Amino acid sequence: MIRAHDDRRVLHTPFHSRVEAACEINEWEDWKGYTTPVAYTDVELEYFAIRNSCGVFDLTPMTKYRITGPDAGSYLDRLLTRNIAKLAIGQVMYACWCNDAGQVLDDGTLFRLDDNVYRICSQERHLDWLLWSAMGFNVQIEDETEAVAALAFQGPTSCAVLKRMGFAGVENLKPYRFDSFAFSQGEILISRTGFTGDLGYELWVTPEVAESLWDQLMAAGRDYGIRPFGGTALGIARIEAGFIQAGVDFVPAQDAVRTGRSRSPYELGLGWLVHLKKSNFNGRKALIEEKANGSRHNLARLLVEGNKPANNSFIFDRKDNLLGTVTSATWSPTTKSNLAFASLDSPWGRPGDELYAEIYYIRELKWTRVIERCHVVEGAFFDPKRRHATPAWDF
Amino acid sequence: MKRYDAIVIGAGHNGLTNAAYLAKAGLDVLVVERNPYIGGATVSRELYKGWLYSNCSYVCSLLRPEIARDLELPRHGLQVVPYGGGVTFMQNGDYFGNYADHERQHREIARHSQRDANAYDRFQADVTKQTRLIRPFLMRTPPDPTSFKPRDIKELLYLAKAFTDLGEETLADTLRFWTMSIGDFLDEYFETDVLKAHLAGSGIIGTALGVYSPGTAYVLLHHYMGDVDGNIGAWGFARGGMGAVAEALAKALQAYGGEIRVDAEVDQIIVAHGKVKGVALVGGDELHADIVVSNLDPKRTFTRIMAASDLPADVVTKAKNFKIRGSSGKVNIALDGLPTFHGLDRASELMISDMHIIDSMERMERAYDDWKNGTWSQDPYVDMLIPTQVDPTMAPPGKHMMSIFVQYVPPTLATGDWTDADRDAFGKTVIDQISKYSPDFKDLILDAEIRTPRELEDEVGLTEGNIFQGELTFDQLLFNRPFPGYAQYRGPVRGMYLCGSGTHPGGGVMAAPGANAAREIFRDLRRPNLVPEAYADD
């Protein structure tokens, strides 16, 4: 069936009327064809809503696939590098998937909605690859990006606001769990997930009730410091949380045209997502080989001395040998430190390695170059207790 | 009588480029042109009062940016304005719009197939890998694989390194890609007929092969490897028509002190004692030079303006066997206003794009069957553009010029040679075809110039009207272009060179053959090379 023409230059999410009204500074960017705010009012205020009160982010444009059918579980086990056997209904799992060469196509979250019903959320689109991988499996794969409206609702007071909205028992949701609640003559799916590394939730509804969800959330959150936030504030929070992003920290393998530009899970610090003991999954053979022979790169999380963000910096060793480049960097307002991710040649990126970032910064049109020592950190830069505590704290 | 250092035969874009470099090096250069105007197939002419027709080549992408910059073509008046995308009109009244914007393109493909919309990204990445392999070679002389000269060995190693750098999987893809059909290639990615038909056009344009003929995948690459301002695969309009490219090159040449003589048809390249002496013009004039460069296609060069007795027998035979079959025609139309097309808003940006008719590869293959049977396609593939929506210089305000490239059109008909009546009947087929998708098109026609391979050969000089000066199949590419042993721009006679699209890297208004030939001439003269290297992209 051929759908009607859609000649619009940009798409609007189901929250657009509210987003547009709230986007006071009128700064927008394209996200998979949807126009979405870079920021609404003030990046600093938006960022501190995430870390101090609560913030709302429209994540509808995130790619979502619904996977159903009797073979859904075994299919996903073949698609993903991670063992999904223990994924219970109502549970969410972070995962990545590779091509046959063991190179990462994307990372994302897998929701087990029901016995044979799953949802994959990711940055990039993968229908072609998902269908290729589905040959021989009795599954249906459907792009439900447009059919599901979603908000990220993140921050210390997020649970208190949801309770106030009447979602009884939401505080008992453990991290990476979700549940359904009655909402507006229908239902809302609330997952304790997010991209900020803080206490937070993602709210999933049908597009028809999207505006109503936004309105009710804003009303309930008024006394809890609620504030919509855009891509820039999220970008700071996700670096603090240590989360990598497709297209920023790695080139999705399907888009890489230059030899050697794609990355394996091991090269992105995602080795913990690879379960080589599984009998068969996409990329397994290549990953076994890599495990045996060693990787070409490492993605390192770096604490950079000084206070100048190391965006796009080259990383050198003590003898000025080029080791790699920074993929993401920010000044962290919460940890009061200077953070970066860097893709480095192996074996560099080990704790204790002596690394230096070449940083350029501008003051009144004068560019200055500084060399700052970097320290490799393992795990997240910021990982508050409230992120893990169940029942969730009120603030 | 005046003696020149070098004479270039033919003022096409490659002849002009070659001459410009030679003149830049301080040589005394003359370009001789048969027609009363310059440009060859890179030409715009006022054939209807107030309208400029780019009546051969019609869009610009492959013109090497290194050459345009180096010869200061912008200062000499060349401006290339990019346009985006394409559209294919469908028999069911719908259309497929190939938007330049990635997200709109995704949405439009998804309208036909969500899977294809995503597969397009894979297609794009795979084609880009192949374009990245070929692009660095555009501004290089192909190595002779049978030679043991250090330079050839070095160049072969460079070629080998480029191939091995691709990695095993891409290398395997490359070998398949260079030899397979565009139809088979597209079938590996897509399920939607109209999308495949839309993309397949680039695989057959100017080529006497069908969408399922081996070798046509490469032809698609040839149309994807250009760029406008670094956007690989993008196409643009030369402001003032494609003639503006030739005009700018001519000005560059003249600024370096070179000369152009029009109405000067070469009867023969004069050879004595195994060396060129100059050219004899029709009418009897002789012009002398130790270097003679032919911008004509290899077949015309070796069989029409050189005596077989002056040439090695194998060259004459290879020239006769050179594959340069005509496959296309051109209709150029002056329009009283902007036509409307079924289903498409006149304000849509798709109006300023490559507009195609033929919505399935099966129809394309049938169109090719007609060619084989010795007639023009009864259901022809067309690539139409209305550049006057962007370019204010080619028609009066509110009026338009439409360039229509038509495939397939045979060089001779089953009934014999083309006649004027055949030509007009062909024109009618094309206009009727477009009218099926544009109800007001016919009423807007003020004038139409109809060109079959006969006109392209007689007026432009392209053998059989082949737009690439020889087909772009692997047996005639790289070190096999135009034929093995003669791919380094040197002819079989000392002082004689080829610089047309019949040499590496082929046609499409690249100017690379002309520049590459100049580099070889500098080498033979032991002069410093002035021809730039390709921009790097890593």
Side-chain angles (χ1 to χ4, degrees):
Chain A
M1 187 203 64
I2 295 176
R3 297 188 286 171
H5 282 287
D6 179 357
D7 204 31
R8 284 173 295 167
R9 198 166 282 274
V10 292
L11 298 180
H12 293 163
T13 78
F15 299 102
H16 186 75
S17 62
R18 306 305 192 262
V19 170
E20 189 183 26
C23 186
E24 294 176 30
I25 57 174
N26 207 19
E27 277 190 37
W28 302 82
E29 65 188 334
D30 178 283
W31 179 10
K32 289 278 175 278
Y34 290 88
T35 187
T36 55
V38 175
Y40 285 82
T41 51
D42 179 298
V43 171
E44 214 166 48
L45 294 176
E46 292 171 28
Y47 164 81
F48 277 108
I50 298 170
R51 290 283 183 246
N52 175 52
S53 50
C54 61
V56 180
F57 179 84
D58 179 2
L59 58 78
T60 308
M62 167 164 287
T63 307
K64 307 169 214 94
Y65 295 107
R66 190 178 188 84
I67 292 152
T68 52
D71 293 343
S74 49
Y75 161 70
L76 288 163
D77 209 44
R78 181 259 175 78
L79 179 77
L80 307 171
T81 60
R82 202 170 174 186
N83 190 346
I84 69 152
K86 286 183 183 156
L87 186 70
I89 296 170
Q91 196 176 359
V92 186
M93 183 182 261
Y94 176 58
C96 72
W97 50 101
C98 294
N99 62 15
D100 287 331
Q103 303 297 293
V104 176
L105 295 165
D106 210 346
D107 62 341
T109 46
L110 175 67
F111 290 65
R112 187 167 184 189
L113 301 172
D114 206 338
D115 205 12
N116 287 321
V117 184
Y118 295 83
R119 173 183 296 157
I120 283 187
C121 298
S122 64
Q123 176 64 25
E124 302 297 319
R125 302 187 183 104
H126 301 281
L127 189 62
D128 187 47
W129 178 252
L130 296 186
L131 290 170
W132 267 29
S133 303
M135 283 186 283
F137 293 91
N138 186 0
V139 288
Q140 290 77 51
I141 301 163
E142 189 193 336
D143 185 330
E144 57 174 11
T145 305
E146 278 178 56
V148 179
L151 293 176
F153 183 44
Q154 306 278 303
T157 61
S158 55
C159 184
V161 173
L162 292 176
K163 280 195 289 188
R164 199 184 154 121
M165 282 176 77
F167 301 124
V170 71
E171 69 276 12
N172 294 322
L173 268 183
K174 290 181 187 158
Y176 288 97
R177 294 278 171 167
F178 65 86
D179 211 342
S180 291
F181 298 84
F183 178 74
S184 189
Q185 277 112 47
E187 89 180 0
I188 183 171
L189 193 146
I190 300 179
S191 58
R192 189 166 167 189
T193 48
F195 204 44
T196 63
D198 216 305
L199 171 62
Y201 299 85
E202 288 168 333
L203 318 175
W204 313 80
V205 293
T206 57
E208 298 75 47
V209 298
E211 288 167 334
S212 158
L213 171 63
W214 180 285
D215 295 342
Q216 291 186 40
L217 202 57
M218 288 299 165
R222 191 170 301 133
D223 297 335
Y224 293 83
I226 197 167
R227 180 178 278 281
F229 64 95
T232 309
L234 179 64
I236 302 169
R238 69 103 189 163
I239 295 172
E240 290 176 331
F243 292 140
I244 59 170
Q245 192 177 338
V248 177
D249 299 300
F250 66 96
V251 182
Q254 71 274 17
D255 297 337
V257 295
R258 291 167 178 81
T259 309
R261 300 297 161 93
S262 59
R263 294 288 184 267
S264 77
Y266 299 118
E267 294 171 334
L268 295 174
L270 302 180
W272 63 282
L273 298 180
V274 182
H275 292 142
L276 293 176
K277 285 189 180 138
K278 287 204 298 180
S279 61
N280 183 29
F281 62 89
N282 292 342
R284 179 173 181 265
K285 195 174 159 216
L287 292 172
I288 287 173
E289 252 172 60
E290 184 180 333
K291 185 89 179 162
N293 301 332
S295 304
R296 304 158 302 162
H297 305 278
N298 287 315
L299 191 87
R301 295 183 174 82
L302 304 177
L303 272 174
V304 183
E305 292 187 356
N307 64 356
K308 312 295 184 295
N311 296 91
N312 308 315
S313 289
F314 285 120
I315 301 291
F316 297 96
D317 68 7
R318 190 169 27 153
K319 292 175 187 161
D320 265 1
N321 294 307
L322 182 61
L323 308 176
T325 50
V326 167
T327 56
S328 290
T330 188
W331 172 258
S332 162
T334 295
T335 66
K336 301 298 180 213
S337 56
N338 197 13
L339 313 179
F341 300 162
S343 184
L344 304 175
D345 296 339
S346 281
W348 296 94
R350 299 157 296 196
D353 276 349
E354 198 176 334
L355 306 172
Y356 296 89
E358 181 186 37
I359 300 168
Y360 290 79
Y361 65 94
I362 188 169
R363 293 291 182 272
E364 295 180 329
L365 298 184
K366 182 178 181 293
W367 281 98
T368 304
R369 170 178 172 268
V370 291
I371 306 288
E372 295 286 5
R373 177 76 200 271
C374 308
H375 306 273
V376 176
V377 171
E378 290 189 309
F381 296 111
F382 176 64
D383 188 20
K385 283 209 174 66
R386 60 179 179 254
R387 179 187 177 195
H388 307 280
T390 310
W393 300 352
D394 275 343
F395 49 84
Chain B
M1 183 201 304
K2 185 168 176 191
R3 242 189 106 71
Y4 292 90
D5 292 329
I7 294 169
V8 177
I9 306 167
H13 64 278
N14 278 312
L16 293 168
T17 300
N18 184 266
Y21 273 108
L22 299 184
K24 192 179 181 186
L27 300 189
D28 198 0
V29 184
L30 173 71
V31 179
V32 287
E33 167 58 47
R34 184 181 69 144
N35 281 316
Y37 49 87
I38 64 158
T42 313
V43 64
S44 302
R45 300 178 64 202
E46 186 174 4
L47 294 175
Y48 182 72
K49 180 111 187 81
W51 269 258
L52 267 180
Y53 292 173
S54 289
N55 60 354
C56 289
S57 61
Y58 49 101
V59 280
C60 189
S61 163
L62 301 172
L63 182 67
R64 298 290 80 221
E66 300 88 353
I67 297 171
R69 180 174 179 177
D70 196 48
L71 295 179
E72 300 188 271
L73 301 189
R75 186 167 76 81
H76 292 300
L78 179 62
Q79 211 180 330
V80 178
V81 184
Y83 69 90
V87 58
T88 290
F89 299 107
M90 298 169 70
Q91 282 183 313
N92 66 3
D94 197 358
Y95 63 81
F96 165 70
N98 195 25
Y99 292 91
D101 175 78
H102 179 258
E103 287 304 323
R104 291 176 88 187
Q105 178 190 47
H106 177 88
R107 221 149 66 219
E108 172 67 0
I109 301 175
R111 201 168 66 79
H112 298 269
S113 157
Q114 278 205 315
R115 179 177 195 166
D116 281 0
N118 189 215
Y120 189 85
D121 295 340
R122 179 164 58 90
F123 167 81
Q124 189 66 41
D126 286 352
V127 171
T128 303
K129 284 178 195 168
Q130 302 303 333
T131 61
R132 285 181 41 74
L133 173 68
I134 187 77
R135 277 167 59 90
F137 291 100
L138 300 178
M139 292 293 286
R140 298 178 85 95
T141 298
D144 180 347
T146 63
S147 154
F148 292 101
K149 284 186 200 151
R151 181 184 178 218
D152 285 308
I153 290 170
K154 203 174 138 208
E155 196 62 23
L156 274 172
L157 286 173
Y158 178 89
L159 186 71
K161 183 174 183 310
F163 273 81
T164 50
D165 280 353
L166 290 173
E168 219 171 287
E169 199 187 336
T170 309
L171 181 57
D173 285 346
T174 300
L175 298 178
R176 293 179 70 236
F177 187 83
W178 283 51
T179 50
M180 76 196 297
S181 78
I182 186 61
D184 288 331
F185 183 65
L186 292 168
D187 284 339
E188 290 186 1
Y189 293 86
F190 305 117
E191 58 192 17
T192 309
D193 277 343
V194 65
L195 173 61
K196 287 192 274 190
H198 184 85
L199 298 171
S202 295
I204 53 147
I205 279 187
T207 305
L209 294 169
V211 286
Y212 281 105
S213 308
T216 45
Y218 171 78
V219 182
L220 172 124
L221 184 62
H222 202 84
H223 287 95
Y224 275 55
M225 68 193 183
D227 66 287
V228 178
D229 301 323
N231 289 318
I232 295 178
W235 285 77
F237 296 119
R239 192 173 196 263
M242 288 303 280
V245 175
E247 293 300 332
L249 283 165
K251 286 195 182 122
L253 165 66
Q254 285 157 347
Y256 296 128
E259 291 174 45
I260 300 170
R261 205 161 133 183
V262 294
D263 285 318
E265 180 171 5
V266 169
D267 181 55
Q268 190 145 30
I269 296 176
I270 308 164
V271 178
H273 311 297
K275 282 163 63 175
V276 294
K277 284 278 171 217
V279 298
L281 298 182
V282 173
D285 278 4
E286 282 194 10
L287 300 166
H288 292 155
D290 288 340
I291 293 169
V292 173
V293 188
S294 175
N295 184 191
L296 314 189
D297 69 63
K299 193 164 204 158
R300 198 174 177 99
T301 301
F302 292 123
T303 65
R304 297 273 291 271
I305 61 163
M306 290 192 84
S309 53
D310 287 335
L311 294 168
D314 76 315
V315 170
V316 180
T317 310
K318 281 172 175 167
K320 281 188 172 152
N321 293 335
F322 185 60
K323 220 164 50 172
I324 184 165
R325 298 173 297 178
S327 64
S328 52
K330 187 87 196 291
V331 180
N332 303 296
I333 290 182
L335 292 167
D336 204 17
L338 193 61
T340 49
F341 290 88
H342 277 312
L344 191 60
D345 189 330
R346 281 214 312 192
S348 167
E349 66 184 46
L350 296 174
M351 284 293 292
I352 311 170
S353 73
D354 299 290
M355 297 191 280
H356 306 175
I357 289 170
I358 294 292
D359 58 4
S360 74
M361 290 207 291
E362 193 188 333
R363 282 175 73 195
M364 294 176 108
E365 191 67 22
R366 298 278 164 261
Y368 179 47
D369 289 342
D370 290 339
W371 181 90
K372 285 182 274 180
N373 292 332
T375 179
W376 62 89
S377 303
Q378 301 305 300
D379 179 22
Y381 170 84
V382 302
D383 180 28
M384 312 178 273
L385 283 143
I386 309 176
T388 41
Q389 296 171 97
V390 171
D391 186 342
T393 70
M394 296 184 78
K399 315 288 182 189
H400 290 282
M401 181 264 164
M402 188 169 182
S403 164
I404 307 161
F405 175 90
V406 190
Q407 186 103 1
Y408 294 85
V409 192
T412 52
L413 299 172
T415 51
D417 286 337
W418 281 88
T419 64
D420 289 354
D422 293 326
R423 181 195 60 204
D424 295 344
F426 158 67
K428 184 175 181 307
T429 301
V430 174
I431 288 166
D432 286 348
Q433 173 82 325
I434 297 168
S435 300
K436 286 178 202 156
Y437 302 85
S438 173
D440 55 358
F441 173 63
K442 262 185 200 174
D443 296 337
L444 292 168
I445 297 175
L446 298 171
D447 175 64
E449 184 203 16
I450 300 156
R451 310 189 98 189
T452 71
R454 178 183 67 160
E455 283 75 27
L456 292 172
E457 173 152 4
D458 292 351
E459 294 172 22
V460 189
L462 295 165
T463 301
E464 294 198 22
N466 183 293
I467 65 166
F468 293 129
Q469 276 204 359
E471 280 166 76
L472 297 171
T473 47
F474 197 46
D475 56 326
Q476 298 193 154
L477 286 173
L478 215 63
F479 40 71
N480 290 332
R481 191 167 186 88
F483 14 86
Y486 295 93
Q488 296 183 337
Y489 309 96
R490 285 174 195 80
V493 176
R494 217 168 117 200
M496 189 258 159
Y497 298 85
L498 290 171
C499 78
S501 297
T503 58
H504 170 79
V509 195
M510 278 195 260
N516 288 344
R519 188 177 49 239
E520 294 306 310
I521 294 169
F522 292 144
R523 197 179 173 83
D524 291 349
L525 294 177
R526 299 176 190 281
R527 280 168 175 265
N529 174 38
L530 298 183
V531 177
E533 284 188 11
Y535 294 133
D537 184 38
D538 266 319

